[in-house]
Amino acid sequence: MLILFSALMDCRIEKPCAILYSLIIVEAMKMELVIYAPQSGRIKRINCQPGHQVSPGDALLWLELESI
């Protein structure tokens, strides 16, 4: 099953993000799912592009979490 990747919110490499920051929106069967940052940190790598298909289990981005 493929999931259609819909859009990046405002993701850039090295951009800091706070806990619950909206990172990515994925779309499947006309439903949107927002992926939030689980903790404050910095975006280290983005492995997807708006409009491209992704599969379950694909790593869409890497987030370097701040130490607590």
Side-chain angles (χ1 to χ4, degrees):
M1 176 178 161
L2 292 176
I3 298 172
L4 178 61
F5 176 72
S6 177
L8 288 171
M9 298 294 280
D10 184 25
C11 283
R12 295 188 305 280
I13 293 175
E14 293 300 321
K15 178 180 175 140
C17 57
I19 189 169
L20 297 180
Y21 177 79
S22 301
L23 294 169
I24 294 176
I25 300 173
V26 291
E27 183 181 295
M29 299 187 312
K30 298 184 183 181
M31 294 176 52
E32 291 184 351
L33 171 68
V34 180
I35 299 175
Y36 299 98
Q39 189 176 325
S40 295
R42 238 176 235 289
I43 298 168
K44 296 307 278 182
R45 186 173 168 192
I46 300 171
N47 199 37
C48 55
Q49 294 183 18
H52 289 180
Q53 290 185 347
V54 295
S55 297
D58 286 354
L60 303 180
L61 63 79
W62 281 259
L63 188 64
E64 182 178 82
L65 303 178
E66 289 180 0
S67 49
I68 300 174

